[in-house]
Amino acid sequence: MTETEDLRARIATALSHSRGRTAVLTDAVDGDDLVRQHSPLMSPLVWDLAHVGNQEELWLVRDVGGREPVRQDIDNLYDAFQHPRADRPALPLLSPAEARSYNRVVRDKVLDVLDRTPLAGRPLVADGFAFGMVVQHEQQHDETMLATHQLRAGPPVLSAPPPPPATVRVSGEILVPGGPFTMGTSVEPWALDNERPAHEVDVPPFLVDAAPVTNGRYAEFIADGGYDRPRLWTDEGWAHRTAAGLEAPLHWRRDGDGWACTRFGVTARIEPDEPVVHVCFHEAKAFATWAGKRLPTEAEWEKAARFDPATGRSRRYPWGDEDPEPRHANLGQRHLGPAPVGAYPDGASPLGVHQLIGDVWEWVDSDFTGYPGFAAFPYREYSEVFFGRDYKVLRGGSFGTDRDACRGTFRNWDYPVRRQIFSGFRCARDASPEEVG
Ligand code: AVJ
Ligand code: FE
């Protein structure tokens, strides 16, 4: 096989893998359920379904392939900037059957375009970028659809084996040495515009938690009055906590002297050793203050995840440069929840930081902005229009994130009040001179 044939085969596999996930998420419920809105924060599942196909048509059929449009008349319906999520159920959307057949027609054309397009030359197609972008887009919506499932009431319709148990004890903090490291990338073929370009950042020495904050620790924060002490919160955080009546992570309910939560229709006691999930940025920050720590900055998070002190290089992933395998991280909706701390020793960073990739997205204390030298590509609406103070960054992916939409440089963002996403966090703090040694 030539290199191009190999790349084409990998793209075809990734396209069909993502579509398989989309099918699982949309075949699990009936037509009524697909067109219904389960939360004003989310689209009806049938919107995500056809939006995935429409983006694929725009980029791969029309732009890369130069082919005639399949359904130009529906572009406006599936343009996320034309209609806020809350308004989408009232639109004249394709029915579930129409959306499925539209996606099939588009995909057949795309496989033909893939066969005929040289994957070199203009930046949009070099290394199969546009195909990689479309694969990641579908995987991002698969995660969004999984979040919609979590907000949906009723008996369980999704199932998966439980995550693996812990096999090592992981606790305490890891010292990340001070000095420059390479943040972002200029060489990762499918990295999106906001991950580029690679640039050097000097990060002072700091300590980072070896693992994400667990449910058990988070419950201690609640029991210690964490939600009742304004001094633990920023002004903005306290105002939100009060207005929204926050008392615990989303989906938690008191259960005797402890807590239970409902996940994809199944109610169970919370597992003390699993990373906490469904907290907003403000809750993460208040917890960190309570713990005598802070959230890591985005540069600190990435250095903890990628910096190899033996070589001074930044890795693609904490475990090295190889693509994620099931032994490295809890990704891809193989399990319907985070794994306990200590379940992925093979995924640890060289410094010994665990579960940076997968399980839960981690809030960091940084606004979403462009790196020095940022250039929007191939469209401003992916990243650039979101730059500024409104959004905080999340890193590392969750159990709901698939492998092509997750790497050491990958950046996610959301409003600091959002918690319907699979969001958790870990803490960090400055290193004292004695600790630096
Ligand atoms: C990167 C997850 C914030 O879902 O809003 C999907 C990804 N962009 N379609 C989102 C995205 C266009 C985006 N996030
Ligand atoms: Fe989208």
Side-chain angles (χ1 to χ4, degrees):
M1 244 206 284
T2 68
E3 242 174 76
T4 308
E5 284 167 352
D6 181 61
L7 177 56
R8 284 203 178 96
R10 281 189 288 119
I11 290 169
T13 302
L15 284 167
S16 95
H17 171 79
S18 315
R19 187 54 49 89
R21 204 58 228 166
T22 301
V24 166
L25 292 159
T26 52
D27 293 347
V29 293
D30 64 20
D32 279 353
D33 207 292
L34 286 175
V35 305
R36 187 178 317 143
Q37 190 166 44
H38 297 285
S39 156
L41 292 176
M42 310 308 280
S43 314
L45 292 166
V46 77
W47 186 91
D48 288 280
L49 183 62
H51 166 78
V52 156
N54 183 242
Q55 286 288 302
E56 186 166 316
E57 182 191 345
L58 290 174
W59 289 107
L60 301 182
V61 177
R62 295 188 213 167
D63 197 326
V64 171
R67 310 272 174 104
E68 285 304 307
V70 181
R71 289 290 303 262
Q72 202 155 30
D73 57 310
I74 62 172
D75 289 353
N76 174 283
L77 289 174
Y78 297 102
D79 178 344
F81 289 87
Q82 296 300 320
H83 313 281
R85 284 180 176 179
D87 299 351
R88 291 175 194 168
L91 300 171
L93 300 175
L94 298 189
S95 70
E98 288 166 340
R100 289 184 177 112
S101 88
Y102 170 63
N103 284 4
R104 263 195 305 273
V105 170
V106 170
R107 178 57 58 90
D108 283 350
K109 292 187 191 289
V110 163
L111 293 177
D112 193 55
V113 169
L114 175 60
D115 270 346
R116 293 162 197 269
T117 307
L119 301 176
R122 66 173 180 143
L124 190 63
V125 295
D127 301 314
F129 176 81
F131 294 90
M133 179 179 80
V134 163
V135 163
Q136 291 177 71
H137 181 257
E138 181 156 357
Q139 293 182 0
Q140 289 175 326
H141 279 273
D142 288 344
E143 181 162 2
T144 300
M145 289 193 276
L146 189 67
T148 304
H149 270 274
Q150 172 58 14
L151 291 165
R152 169 181 176 277
V157 296
L158 297 174
S159 67
T167 53
V168 293
R169 281 180 75 89
V170 178
S171 63
E173 301 169 308
I174 302 290
L175 177 68
V176 180
F181 92 107
T182 302
M183 185 174 188
T185 178
S186 300
V187 295
E188 181 72 35
W190 290 359
L192 302 173
D193 59 0
N194 64 54
E195 298 164 69
R196 303 170 184 268
H199 58 290
E200 202 163 271
V201 181
D202 197 2
V203 181
F206 68 102
L207 289 127
V208 65
D209 288 356
V213 169
T214 61
N215 287 328
R217 277 293 277 163
Y218 201 85
E220 289 175 35
F221 163 69
I222 302 174
D224 197 38
Y227 280 84
D228 307 318
R229 291 155 58 180
R231 266 187 288 279
L232 298 176
W233 299 68
T234 60
D235 291 346
E236 189 191 335
W238 184 254
H240 176 67
R241 174 252 163 272
T242 306
L246 303 186
E247 292 181 337
L250 184 62
H251 306 299
W252 283 34
R253 271 199 321 276
R254 291 212 185 260
D255 180 50
D257 59 355
W259 294 93
C261 77
T262 302
R263 222 180 241 167
F264 306 107
V266 180
T267 302
R269 297 274 288 185
I270 63 147
E271 288 290 340
D273 295 337
E274 284 176 8
V276 69
V277 60
H278 297 300
V279 292
C280 70
F281 173 82
H282 299 304
E283 291 169 298
K285 197 157 164 142
F287 175 99
T289 304
W290 171 79
K293 303 190 191 186
R294 58 178 174 77
L295 297 180
T297 64
E298 186 176 14
E300 286 173 335
W301 191 96
E302 190 169 318
K303 187 170 181 181
R306 299 183 63 209
F307 182 65
D308 179 358
T311 61
R313 274 188 65 244
S314 289
R315 299 171 157 201
R316 294 178 68 216
Y317 297 93
W319 55 83
D321 292 339
E322 324 97 78
D323 288 337
E325 295 294 337
R327 68 187 177 88
H328 292 127
N330 180 6
L331 291 168
Q333 308 186 10
R334 292 196 309 274
H335 312 294
L336 293 175
V341 165
Y344 288 97
D346 291 349
S349 76
L351 292 164
V353 187
H354 286 243
Q355 284 162 286
L356 288 149
I357 300 292
D359 295 302
V360 294
W361 285 102
E362 299 182 21
W363 288 108
V364 295
D365 203 349
S366 296
D367 295 337
F368 184 51
T369 55
Y371 292 155
F374 168 84
F377 178 78
Y379 64 117
R380 287 189 66 246
E381 290 74 18
Y382 181 73
S383 310
E384 194 178 13
V385 299
F386 299 101
F387 288 166
R389 298 234 191 91
D390 292 347
Y391 294 90
K392 293 292 178 190
V393 171
L394 300 113
R395 287 301 205 100
S398 78
F399 65 89
T401 313
D402 220 330
R403 45 189 274 166
D404 298 296
C406 187
R407 54 197 156 259
T409 55
F410 192 93
R411 309 173 74 198
N412 191 6
W413 65 92
D414 214 326
Y415 290 118
V417 299
R418 286 289 189 256
R419 53 186 205 160
Q420 86 283 4
I421 53 178
F422 304 111
S423 50
F425 63 104
R426 75 179 69 218
C427 297
R429 63 184 174 87
D430 298 349
S432 68
E434 305 81 71
E435 286 167 325
V436 175

